[in-house]
Amino acid sequence: MRLACVFSSAAKSQNPIKTLFRRHRSLAVSALPIMADSEESLRRALSEKQAAVDAQAEAVRALKARPASAPSEIDAAVEALKALKVEAAAAARLLQAAVSRNGDGSTAGSREAFRQAVVNTLERRLFYIPSFKIYRGVAGLYDYGPPGCAVKSNVLAFWRQHFVLEENMLEVDCPCVTPEIVLKASGHVDKFTDLMVKDEKTGTCYRADHLLKDYCKEKLEKDLTLSAEKAAELKHILAVLDDLSADEVGAKIKEYGIAAPDTKNPLSDPYPFNLMFQTSIGPSGLSPGYMRPETAQGIFVNFKDLYYYNGNKLPFAAAQIGQAFRNEISPRQGLLRVREFTLAEIEHFVDPEDKTHPKFVDVSNLEFLMFPRKEQMAGESAKPMILGEAISKGTVNNETLGYFIGRVYLFLACLGIDKDRLRFRQHLPNEMAHYAADCWDAEIECSYGWIECVGIADRSAYDLRAHSEKSGVALVAHEKFSESREVEKLVIVPSKKELGLAFKGNQKMVVEALETMSEKEALKMRASLESKGEVDFHVCTLGKAVVITKNMVSISIEKKKEHQRVFTPSVIEPSFGIGRIIYCLFEHSFYTRPSKSEDEQLNVFRFPPLVAPIKCTVFPLIKTQKFDDVAKIIARSLTAAGISHIIDITGTSIGKRYARTDEIGVPFAITVDSTNSVTIRERDSKEQIRVSIDEVAKVVKEVTDGQSTWADIMWRYPAHAASLVDEE
Amino acid sequence: MRLACVFSSAAKSQNPIKTLFRRHRSLAVSALPIMADSEESLRRALSEKQAAVDAQAEAVRALKARPASAPSEIDAAVEALKALKVEAAAAARLLQAAVSRNGDGSTAGSREAFRQAVVNTLERRLFYIPSFKIYRGVAGLYDYGPPGCAVKSNVLAFWRQHFVLEENMLEVDCPCVTPEIVLKASGHVDKFTDLMVKDEKTGTCYRADHLLKDYCKEKLEKDLTLSAEKAAELKHILAVLDDLSADEVGAKIKEYGIAAPDTKNPLSDPYPFNLMFQTSIGPSGLSPGYMRPETAQGIFVNFKDLYYYNGNKLPFAAAQIGQAFRNEISPRQGLLRVREFTLAEIEHFVDPEDKTHPKFVDVSNLEFLMFPRKEQMAGESAKPMILGEAISKGTVNNETLGYFIGRVYLFLACLGIDKDRLRFRQHLPNEMAHYAADCWDAEIECSYGWIECVGIADRSAYDLRAHSEKSGVALVAHEKFSESREVEKLVIVPSKKELGLAFKGNQKMVVEALETMSEKEALKMRASLESKGEVDFHVCTLGKAVVITKNMVSISIEKKKEHQRVFTPSVIEPSFGIGRIIYCLFEHSFYTRPSKSEDEQLNVFRFPPLVAPIKCTVFPLIKTQKFDDVAKIIARSLTAAGISHIIDITGTSIGKRYARTDEIGVPFAITVDSTNSVTIRERDSKEQIRVSIDEVAKVVKEVTDGQSTWADIMWRYPAHAASLVDEE
């Protein structure tokens, strides 16, 4: 693999911590590890032009210094220099455009302007609010205001319906406060860290990888004199950023002379900072605890009870929705990297020998953007693939993993995520934990780039094994055989007497090491003992090799009758970052359109009714008691039908009232313009129909519940031609 | 007030911390402060009998010691002694029965047996699980397993519908991690404490009030020789336990010789322990934070934005559902006192001068058990009252508070809480914060006694003022006058020159103290200055009084035109302990019935369909492919209709399958006994009807959504006579 040559990637690839939502910092780059040809050739062209300019300038100077030079000769050389400078400037402009352009041709500037428009609307309409704003807030903490909170609870309700109800999952609800031992077992206490550096004078903390990343990106974008070789080096660092050890990051920070961004003071060496919020459980101060960094552990520790609850049958899935906490060193990117967030996680437990899925046929014909490892390594881009083919070709490891990829695709599409800006990206080998069978991320493209929003991983038996070992409680499944089977079993019997004589106080450690050999090791030892009579044997707990002779251990294969198979199930884990999905949904749903008077742009969120924070508004056309009364009757019928709505009886123009609610994505507006029938207006088409007052709640319910589309409804009820006055 | 005479209650009554869910420890007693007459007379009778026994025993001894005593005389005296002993024993039995009996005649023993039956079923069927059980758990932390989690999410969905949707409340969602300054302002950092004592040798921590309470209760229940006076003293301590200072509790612990329960070692003096889980925000370690102890503060700090969102109009309500955290010293009572729990809180902001509610008429005719202050003080019990009368008589402070009491009653009744074991208890004056206008708790009776499950408090302007002061951001509302009004305004103008001459460096503090005088103080000062020319004035920031003369300050009342009124809204806060409501619901829903074979009791939860964890089961009557296929078709139609269900194709007898699902409260069971129609069985009546396969999902949806009752359905479809085999 081309990327692994410069830095050792051993340090992190054994890290058991799931990398979900901790990794997207370098995704956009690692997904495109090779410098685009055009950019490389532009850099070479620019440096050639620059060299030509320098040479010509030198020539001009030399001509001028020589008394014999003819003025016409000098003029010609100066003209040539000017022409070369124009060429160099043009090459610089081309390169500048290339480095600041995205895949879709948009520039960083246009993306930021778009984001600003969305974020302004979101903040002004209270979709979200920086938490504790009156106290000047806390970085990385946000409140959902009324429309944001409603969108979130709609997304979660749909998640429950689409996953939990559809698959009869066992949903659980575990506390956030978690004792240390649980997170020791999962590996979070030791390894859930980011590298931190401190300003040596002020003590301000920074994420070391962020500083290195910012340096590289800025150089690449702004320093046009960078050689193609140097540019390749910086791009490579961006690609392998997550694999760098503390020493490697520290060395690069020193080499590039990176200083504290705010003060330009020197920085400390990088050191790991644990990202969990620590606390203490109970009054003694002796029981350390943490706020959970993910919800999954609550499911793993309950495996035994849940398996029993499911009638001791596999496969089954457990699910949990809840808060998770990560004490980020320096949160940025608004709602995308926060210190507290809602996760929705599924742990689907399955027999490792049978990962087929009976409902895979339901999703096998789906076609969407997939970005397998091979295409990433080759510098290609994501392509539409048919899911069934991705399984049959072995691109996706197994059917159950594939089934969830398909279900996640359907979930995101139903919410209103743009299918063209959604791709499933397979983890590269250096991103994946050593035990994982296969991992795919649902990535959504927004103004920050491709953002990892759902991780779908086959984590094999890792998590259950870790908790079995730490707790001493076997987290296993049983397969009862209808008839008992004869199986071959490895039997290792160390001779304690001989070992005691040979190793004295170390006897116990040697015995343990012998007993825990894998089948392969044991058979190799048996072969050596038979051929040579003795063998060198490395004992980890002693830190050295000892010599084992034939009389010290008996290794044999015995045939046994077994009535059941006992095994640790594999787990397939789809894990959803709800806040990230919602933020991307905000960007994908946002558009502007000119007002009738064309003096301003009106903002609209085109949320599908399923996620719209409020389904419907009720407006009396003009301020009069009889219309207000009708509006109240309609509001009551909407409440009875369980449809969230707002009623606006201010005298403001109807056009302004439409604009106000388009801006929070309300799909339908009921306007009361008579005492027996009303109009219903659809947000995006602005089409209107006329419906009787008795029917209006039923019609709105039908179309917000998804039983009918707006097109169906349009066909059944008379259209109402909106007067020009309606939409100012 | 009779109770306040022994101990000062000043210490705690100024505590701004809401006492919700921190107080029920003494409720059952404080609600019945006066010793029941019968018990007092029984204690007196017993001690008289005991005195008579002692006197007669002495007489017998004297007779036996005297040589002249006739044997017959001695025999007669011994007989009399025996008779007196029999009488004393009878009196002791009567007293014992009286002290161990509850109001309803149940004994502590029968209540505990019932609780054990409920809890066994809940734990066995995974309604809840002690968290991190494989690591031997953590006190006060519980997981909801699949049926418990489903009940919880049904309760929360109904809460959203009944409160948020019905009243168009502004729901928000704020983080649990909270910076210190917010909880400084709310008072939690300084005052959210319990008194703790430590075993002086082992360091084990106990709640001081629990130890004192346990001592008093045990003495009262078990020591029959207690004098009526002593018994009254102990009962009084139980009644005022929450008002005792650390010194008072410490003195009582010493006086009664209370030792550490586990070791009998001596105890430390009591000291306050803060109940918040502390943590640190960000990597510097310099920003202390806490896990929020309630969700309300997140709403208060957003008041300004929410008021704007509501079009700068009052009244409006904001709501929040979320986790709250309390690091209890020694959690007990299972799900009722835990370290992490879900709160659902409403903050209804209202003009303090107008607390009427337009929808009060909708609840004014409701009649339910209310327990006003007066009845509690008089030792009476809760009585049914009509809500409208409670308002018109002034028992409940205002209509808005009354409206929410009525809505809370309807909410709990719809969930399935038994109306006869639900009462609304008004806070006694010593329970209420000084600023509160009125507080009522919805208390539900369960095996632990009357448990406070919802607090409904008119907290006046306290919370918004506290955050206004601390943050410097005015959290106020405006009432625009249609015409400007002339108002009298106090104007205080300190003469900085004169004050500077007189007080030099202290001038600034004197100026500030003068400017912040209340109207009353200022008018008093003006009167004194006019009559005497000078006045003593205490300046807090100087810690002493200074002399103010007439030329130093001008105080006048000026008439001004005002266009609006600016004021701090009052807040009415209904706050729901979701876990407590659910636990009480479990107890109220649980019953047993004999199995057909009468050899065992079958457990049933009679949850209404609204809260039932699973709405419906599907059972093929016998194991055959064609019934299994029908069952799968029905399961798909149920999923499409959004009805949670389980399908059980094990060959177990149909009676066992019914019993298994009755035990988790599934209201309807569909049994597939043919390929064109099926039976639906209702859980509690065990009645069955026959419905065609095409209709079954629609019928179940109708009756679980509450559009029809089971009685309606019974009337429309043919009854199916269950064979004896069906329910074994």
Side-chain angles (χ1 to χ4, degrees):
Chain A
M1 200 192 107
R2 195 177 146 181
L3 297 180
C5 52
V6 179
F7 304 102
S8 132
S9 69
K12 278 213 172 179
S13 71
Q14 301 293 313
N15 191 335
I17 297 302
K18 287 175 272 177
T19 48
L20 177 64
F21 311 130
R22 292 230 49 74
R23 208 170 3 74
H24 90 268
R25 43 193 181 202
S26 62
L27 280 195
V29 177
S30 69
L32 216 165
I34 298 155
M35 199 190 304
D37 282 347
S38 65
E39 188 191 324
E40 188 169 349
S41 63
L42 287 172
R43 282 199 193 275
R44 293 205 189 282
L46 176 58
S47 71
E48 279 161 23
K49 297 282 176 209
Q50 196 57 51
V53 167
D54 294 347
Q56 185 64 19
E58 185 50 47
V60 169
R61 268 193 299 280
L63 271 179
K64 284 181 175 173
R66 211 169 49 195
S69 297
S72 64
E73 199 182 358
I74 295 177
D75 286 352
V78 167
E79 281 311 305
L81 176 58
K82 278 187 188 160
L84 283 170
K85 278 187 177 168
V86 168
E87 280 174 40
R93 274 197 304 277
L94 277 175
L95 176 58
Q96 183 66 63
V99 295
S100 59
R101 193 163 52 221
N102 271 329
D104 61 354
S106 71
T107 64
S110 70
R111 277 178 288 132
E112 259 170 47
F114 173 77
R115 183 195 306 150
Q116 215 43 60
V118 181
V119 164
N120 280 348
T121 309
L122 292 173
E123 292 209 22
R124 188 163 40 77
R125 298 310 303 271
L126 251 49
F127 278 85
Y128 69 90
I129 311 161
S131 300
F132 317 111
K133 204 170 87 174
I134 62 170
Y135 292 104
R136 272 173 287 148
V138 175
L141 294 179
Y142 293 91
D143 300 342
Y144 287 94
C149 187
V151 168
K152 183 180 168 188
S153 86
N154 293 336
V155 168
L156 292 176
F158 180 59
W159 191 89
R160 278 209 172 92
Q161 198 202 315
H162 186 83
F163 292 105
V164 179
L165 184 69
E166 180 72 31
E167 319 282 347
N168 279 317
M169 291 179 181
L170 307 181
E171 190 181 342
V172 300
D173 180 15
C174 309
C176 301
V177 175
T178 305
E180 184 168 55
I181 190 167
V182 174
L183 297 161
K184 264 276 187 198
S186 68
H188 286 89
V189 171
D190 296 322
K191 297 194 174 159
F192 191 59
T193 55
D194 272 341
L195 290 176
M196 181 158 92
V197 287
K198 276 194 180 181
D199 181 318
E200 287 202 333
K201 288 187 182 147
T202 65
T204 307
C205 304
Y206 301 94
R207 251 178 78 169
D209 59 340
H210 277 179
L211 296 188
L212 186 51
K213 176 182 168 192
D214 291 348
Y215 172 86
C216 295
K217 286 186 83 169
E218 194 171 321
K219 270 283 186 196
L220 284 166
E221 279 173 24
K222 304 213 173 132
D223 185 353
L224 300 179
T225 66
L226 221 53
S227 70
E229 290 67 29
K230 191 72 188 172
E233 179 189 321
L234 298 180
K235 289 211 163 186
H236 178 64
I237 289 174
L238 288 174
V240 298
L241 204 52
D242 291 344
D243 294 327
L244 301 188
S245 69
D247 289 345
E248 287 163 345
V249 171
K252 284 288 158 196
I253 286 178
K254 282 225 165 59
E255 181 185 334
Y256 298 148
I258 301 172
D262 304 319
T263 61
K264 306 297 161 205
N265 290 332
L267 293 166
S268 73
D269 285 335
Y271 57 98
F273 170 75
N274 193 297
L275 296 172
M276 290 193 292
F277 283 99
Q278 193 173 4
T279 189
S280 179
I281 305 174
S284 70
L286 302 174
S287 305
Y290 299 89
M291 303 312 298
R292 62 179 176 196
E294 58 177 25
T295 66
Q297 303 305 323
I299 295 176
F300 296 135
V301 299
N302 280 321
F303 172 79
K304 203 179 161 184
D305 281 341
L306 293 171
Y307 178 60
Y308 170 78
Y309 187 85
N310 200 51
N312 292 330
K313 281 196 188 62
L314 282 186
F316 73 91
Q320 181 167 200
I321 296 173
Q323 294 301 90
F325 302 82
R326 293 177 187 180
N327 195 10
E328 297 289 346
I329 293 170
S330 49
R332 41 191 205 175
Q333 296 188 317
L335 292 182
L336 294 181
R337 185 168 294 286
V338 292
R339 286 179 164 149
E340 181 176 337
F341 47 95
T342 301
L343 282 182
E345 298 195 290
I346 295 166
E347 309 296 331
H348 181 91
F349 297 102
V350 64
D351 185 337
E353 293 178 8
D354 179 10
K355 293 183 180 174
T356 58
H357 196 290
K359 287 162 79 183
F360 182 71
V361 288
D362 298 349
V363 296
S364 65
N365 291 325
L366 290 175
E367 185 175 8
F368 46 79
L369 286 180
M370 296 189 81
F371 200 9
R373 198 174 290 155
K374 206 172 109 250
E375 279 70 12
Q376 296 172 54
M377 308 288 286
E380 294 167 19
S381 55
K383 298 191 180 49
M385 283 181 89
I386 292 167
L387 187 53
E389 287 177 12
I391 293 288
S392 59
K393 285 182 188 159
T395 309
V396 172
N397 184 280
N398 60 73
E399 250 185 40
T400 299
L401 190 65
Y403 178 70
F404 280 109
I405 290 175
R407 294 290 297 167
V408 168
Y409 169 78
L410 290 173
F411 173 72
L412 295 172
C414 285
L415 290 182
I417 293 292
D418 176 2
K419 294 166 195 177
D420 297 331
R421 285 185 280 168
L422 165 62
R423 70 181 184 194
F424 287 81
R425 190 182 71 78
Q426 190 173 30
H427 281 205
L428 294 172
N430 70 328
E431 291 177 88
M432 227 164 48
H434 62 285
Y435 50 80
D438 195 7
C439 301
W440 291 76
D441 289 338
E443 294 184 342
I444 305 176
E445 195 185 26
C446 74
S447 66
Y448 290 105
W450 285 96
I451 301 301
E452 170 193 13
C453 291
V454 186
I456 309 148
D458 181 336
R459 298 179 50 76
S460 75
Y462 179 81
D463 307 280
L464 291 182
R465 285 218 180 104
H467 286 294
S468 286
E469 266 172 38
K470 191 84 178 176
S471 67
V473 175
L475 303 177
V476 293
H478 306 261
E479 185 200 1
K480 293 232 159 37
F481 300 144
S482 45
E483 289 173 25
S484 67
R485 298 183 190 171
E486 195 161 81
V487 291
E488 296 196 329
K489 272 230 132 170
L490 176 75
V491 179
I492 302 172
V493 185
S495 158
K496 292 193 181 164
K497 190 182 145 209
E498 297 295 332
L499 290 164
L501 286 171
F503 303 114
K504 311 228 161 52
N506 292 338
Q507 179 217 22
K508 193 165 155 263
M509 282 169 279
V510 179
V511 168
E512 279 172 5
L514 287 168
E515 284 175 343
T516 53
M517 277 188 295
S518 70
E519 184 163 335
K520 201 174 139 199
E521 285 174 298
L523 294 180
K524 205 176 144 199
M525 178 179 280
R526 188 171 68 163
S528 301
L529 289 177
E530 274 167 17
S531 60
K532 299 182 234 157
E534 65 171 51
V535 64
D536 280 353
F537 178 57
H538 188 82
V539 180
C540 278
T541 46
L542 291 178
K544 64 172 184 182
V546 297
V547 175
I548 300 291
T549 57
K550 215 173 167 180
N551 59 346
M552 290 179 188
V553 61
S554 121
I555 297 169
S556 56
I557 301 285
E558 288 178 12
K559 294 203 169 172
K560 281 180 108 176
K561 288 233 168 192
E562 290 208 334
H563 303 276
Q564 63 173 6
R565 190 180 130 234
V566 177
F567 59 95
T568 304
S570 279
V571 64
I572 306 220
E573 178 192 78
S575 175
F576 299 71
I578 298 298
R580 288 190 175 183
I581 294 171
I582 290 174
Y583 178 77
C584 292
L585 182 61
F586 288 154
E587 282 204 6
H588 288 200
S589 305
F590 184 80
Y591 67 98
T592 59
R593 57 185 173 202
S595 65
K596 274 273 155 69
S597 53
E598 287 185 13
D599 52 354
E600 55 171 345
Q601 289 289 308
L602 301 175
N603 304 315
V604 189
F605 282 106
R606 66 164 85 77
F607 299 128
L610 178 73
V611 289
I614 287 162
K615 309 303 178 202
C616 173
T617 52
V618 187
F619 301 147
L621 182 63
I622 47 168
K623 213 169 163 41
T624 149
Q625 190 60 44
K626 61 182 187 180
F627 288 177
D628 284 5
D629 292 345
V630 172
K632 279 175 194 158
I633 290 165
I634 293 173
R636 265 201 295 278
S637 64
L638 291 169
T639 301
I643 298 166
S644 62
H645 61 277
I646 39 177
I647 174 167
D648 182 348
I649 56 166
T650 59
T652 323
S653 81
I654 198 76
K656 283 216 175 100
R657 282 184 277 173
Y658 285 153
R660 228 186 251 163
T661 57
D662 288 348
E663 203 177 37
I664 59 170
V666 180
F668 303 103
I670 297 169
T671 301
V672 180
D673 57 358
S674 92
T675 51
N676 44 44
S677 77
V678 295
T679 65
I680 305 180
R681 167 203 183 253
E682 195 275 334
R683 176 194 57 212
D684 299 298
S685 63
K686 299 196 272 182
E687 291 161 343
Q688 299 189 30
I689 54 168
R690 182 160 291 281
V691 178
S692 82
I693 287 166
D694 304 336
E695 277 184 288
V696 66
K698 189 179 72 62
V699 171
V700 173
K701 188 167 177 64
E702 218 180 301
V703 73
T704 52
D705 275 7
Q707 295 156 33
S708 303
T709 64
W710 176 252
D712 299 336
I713 302 283
M714 278 291 286
W715 187 82
R716 272 165 38 204
Y717 292 90
H720 171 72
S723 72
L724 271 178
V725 188
D726 279 11
E727 306 244 353
E728 292 171 50
Chain B
M1 199 188 106
R2 199 177 141 178
L3 296 180
C5 52
V6 179
F7 302 103
S8 131
S9 68
K12 277 215 173 178
S13 72
Q14 301 292 315
N15 191 333
I17 298 301
K18 286 175 273 179
T19 48
L20 178 64
F21 311 128
R22 294 228 49 74
R23 208 172 1 76
H24 90 271
R25 43 196 180 201
S26 62
L27 278 195
V29 177
S30 68
L32 217 169
I34 298 154
M35 201 191 302
D37 282 348
S38 64
E39 187 193 324
E40 186 168 351
S41 63
L42 287 171
R43 284 204 189 269
R44 294 205 187 281
L46 175 60
S47 73
E48 278 162 22
K49 296 284 176 206
Q50 196 56 50
V53 168
D54 293 347
Q56 185 64 15
E58 185 52 46
V60 170
R61 267 194 299 280
L63 272 179
K64 284 182 174 171
R66 208 168 51 194
S69 298
S72 64
E73 200 183 357
I74 294 176
D75 287 351
V78 168
E79 283 307 308
L81 176 60
K82 278 187 187 159
L84 283 170
K85 278 187 177 167
V86 168
E87 281 175 40
R93 274 197 303 278
L94 277 175
L95 174 59
Q96 184 66 64
V99 295
S100 60
R101 196 163 50 222
N102 272 331
D104 61 354
S106 73
T107 64
S110 69
R111 277 178 289 135
E112 259 170 48
F114 172 76
R115 184 195 307 152
Q116 214 45 61
V118 181
V119 164
N120 280 349
T121 310
L122 291 173
E123 291 208 23
R124 189 164 38 75
R125 298 310 304 270
L126 251 49
F127 278 86
Y128 69 90
I129 311 160
S131 299
F132 316 112
K133 203 169 89 176
I134 62 170
Y135 293 103
R136 272 173 286 149
V138 174
L141 293 179
Y142 294 91
D143 299 342
Y144 286 94
C149 187
V151 168
K152 183 179 169 190
S153 85
N154 293 337
V155 167
L156 291 176
F158 180 58
W159 191 88
R160 278 209 173 93
Q161 196 201 316
H162 186 81
F163 292 105
V164 178
L165 183 69
E166 180 72 33
E167 320 281 348
N168 279 316
M169 290 178 182
L170 308 182
E171 191 181 343
V172 299
D173 182 12
C174 310
C176 301
V177 174
T178 306
E180 184 168 57
I181 190 167
V182 174
L183 296 161
K184 264 277 185 194
S186 68
H188 287 87
V189 172
D190 296 323
K191 297 193 172 162
F192 190 61
T193 56
D194 271 341
L195 290 176
M196 180 157 92
V197 287
K198 276 195 176 178
D199 182 317
E200 288 202 334
K201 288 188 183 148
T202 66
T204 308
C205 303
Y206 301 96
R207 250 178 78 168
D209 59 339
H210 278 178
L211 296 187
L212 186 52
K213 177 182 166 190
D214 291 349
Y215 172 87
C216 295
K217 285 187 85 170
E218 190 169 324
K219 268 284 185 196
L220 283 166
E221 277 173 24
K222 305 214 172 128
D223 184 354
L224 300 179
T225 67
L226 218 56
S227 70
E229 289 69 27
K230 190 72 186 173
E233 179 188 320
L234 297 181
K235 290 210 163 186
H236 177 65
I237 289 175
L238 289 174
V240 298
L241 203 53
D242 289 345
D243 294 327
L244 301 188
S245 69
D247 289 347
E248 287 162 346
V249 171
K252 285 288 155 196
I253 286 178
K254 281 224 163 58
E255 182 185 334
Y256 297 147
I258 301 172
D262 305 319
T263 60
K264 304 298 163 205
N265 290 333
L267 293 166
S268 73
D269 286 334
Y271 59 97
F273 171 75
N274 193 298
L275 296 172
M276 290 193 293
F277 283 99
Q278 194 174 358
T279 190
S280 180
I281 305 175
S284 69
L286 302 172
S287 304
Y290 300 90
M291 303 311 297
R292 64 179 175 195
E294 58 177 25
T295 67
Q297 303 305 325
I299 296 176
F300 295 135
V301 299
N302 280 321
F303 171 79
K304 203 178 160 186
D305 280 341
L306 294 170
Y307 178 60
Y308 169 79
Y309 186 84
N310 200 51
N312 291 329
K313 283 199 187 59
L314 283 186
F316 74 90
Q320 181 167 201
I321 296 173
Q323 294 302 89
F325 302 81
R326 292 177 189 182
N327 195 10
E328 297 288 346
I329 294 170
S330 49
R332 39 191 206 177
Q333 296 189 316
L335 292 183
L336 294 181
R337 185 168 295 285
V338 290
R339 286 179 165 148
E340 182 176 337
F341 47 96
T342 301
L343 282 183
E345 299 195 290
I346 295 166
E347 310 295 332
H348 180 92
F349 298 101
V350 64
D351 185 337
E353 293 179 9
D354 179 12
K355 293 183 179 174
T356 58
H357 197 290
K359 287 161 78 182
F360 182 70
V361 288
D362 298 348
V363 296
S364 64
N365 290 326
L366 290 175
E367 185 173 8
F368 46 80
L369 285 180
M370 296 190 83
F371 200 9
R373 198 173 288 154
K374 204 170 112 250
E375 278 71 12
Q376 296 172 55
M377 307 288 287
E380 294 168 18
S381 56
K383 294 191 184 48
M385 283 180 88
I386 292 168
L387 187 54
E389 288 176 14
I391 292 288
S392 58
K393 284 181 187 159
T395 309
V396 173
N397 183 279
N398 60 71
E399 252 185 39
T400 299
L401 191 64
Y403 177 71
F404 280 109
I405 290 175
R407 294 290 297 168
V408 168
Y409 169 79
L410 291 173
F411 173 73
L412 295 172
C414 285
L415 289 183
I417 292 293
D418 177 2
K419 294 168 196 178
D420 297 332
R421 286 184 280 169
L422 166 62
R423 71 182 183 193
F424 287 80
R425 191 182 70 78
Q426 190 174 30
H427 280 204
L428 294 172
N430 70 330
E431 289 178 89
M432 229 163 49
H434 63 286
Y435 50 78
D438 196 5
C439 299
W440 291 77
D441 287 340
E443 294 184 341
I444 305 176
E445 196 185 23
C446 74
S447 66
Y448 289 106
W450 285 96
I451 300 300
E452 170 193 13
C453 291
V454 187
I456 309 149
D458 181 339
R459 299 178 51 75
S460 76
Y462 180 80
D463 307 280
L464 291 182
R465 285 217 180 104
H467 286 296
S468 286
E469 267 172 37
K470 192 82 177 176
S471 67
V473 175
L475 303 177
V476 292
H478 305 263
E479 184 200 1
K480 292 235 159 36
F481 300 142
S482 46
E483 288 174 27
S484 66
R485 294 184 193 172
E486 194 160 80
V487 291
E488 294 195 329
K489 271 232 133 167
L490 176 76
V491 179
I492 302 172
V493 184
S495 160
K496 291 191 181 165
K497 189 182 145 206
E498 298 295 331
L499 291 164
L501 286 170
F503 303 113
K504 311 232 157 53
N506 291 337
Q507 180 217 21
K508 195 166 154 263
M509 282 170 278
V510 178
V511 167
E512 278 173 5
L514 287 169
E515 283 174 344
T516 53
M517 277 189 294
S518 70
E519 182 163 337
K520 203 174 138 198
E521 285 174 299
L523 294 180
K524 207 176 140 199
M525 177 179 279
R526 185 171 70 162
S528 301
L529 288 176
E530 273 167 17
S531 60
K532 298 183 234 155
E534 63 170 53
V535 64
D536 280 354
F537 177 60
H538 187 81
V539 180
C540 278
T541 46
L542 291 178
K544 65 174 184 183
V546 297
V547 177
I548 301 290
T549 57
K550 214 171 165 179
N551 58 346
M552 291 179 187
V553 61
S554 122
I555 298 169
S556 57
I557 300 285
E558 288 178 14
K559 297 205 169 171
K560 281 180 111 177
K561 288 236 168 188
E562 290 208 332
H563 303 274
Q564 63 173 5
R565 191 179 129 234
V566 178
F567 60 94
T568 305
S570 280
V571 63
I572 307 222
E573 177 191 78
S575 175
F576 299 71
I578 298 299
R580 288 190 173 184
I581 293 170
I582 290 174
Y583 178 76
C584 292
L585 182 62
F586 288 154
E587 282 205 5
H588 287 201
S589 304
F590 183 81
Y591 67 99
T592 59
R593 56 186 176 202
S595 66
K596 273 274 155 69
S597 53
E598 286 188 14
D599 53 353
E600 55 171 342
Q601 290 290 307
L602 301 175
N603 304 314
V604 189
F605 282 106
R606 68 163 83 76
F607 300 128
L610 179 71
V611 289
I614 287 161
K615 308 304 179 201
C616 175
T617 53
V618 187
F619 300 147
L621 182 62
I622 47 169
K623 215 168 159 43
T624 150
Q625 190 59 46
K626 62 181 184 179
F627 288 178
D628 284 4
D629 291 345
V630 172
K632 278 177 196 157
I633 289 166
I634 293 174
R636 264 202 294 279
S637 63
L638 291 169
T639 300
I643 297 167
S644 60
H645 60 278
I646 37 179
I647 174 166
D648 182 348
I649 55 167
T650 60
T652 324
S653 80
I654 199 77
K656 282 218 177 100
R657 281 185 277 173
Y658 285 153
R660 228 185 252 163
T661 56
D662 289 348
E663 204 178 36
I664 57 167
V666 181
F668 303 104
I670 297 168
T671 301
V672 179
D673 58 357
S674 92
T675 51
N676 44 43
S677 76
V678 295
T679 65
I680 305 180
R681 168 204 184 250
E682 195 276 333
R683 174 195 60 213
D684 299 297
S685 63
K686 300 195 270 182
E687 291 160 346
Q688 297 188 31
I689 54 169
R690 181 161 291 283
V691 178
S692 81
I693 287 166
D694 304 336
E695 276 183 288
V696 66
K698 189 182 71 68
V699 171
V700 173
K701 186 165 179 65
E702 216 180 302
V703 72
T704 53
D705 274 7
Q707 293 156 33
S708 302
T709 64
W710 175 252
D712 300 336
I713 302 283
M714 279 290 287
W715 185 83
R716 274 165 37 202
Y717 292 90
H720 170 73
S723 70
L724 271 177
V725 188
D726 279 10
E727 308 244 350
E728 289 171 49

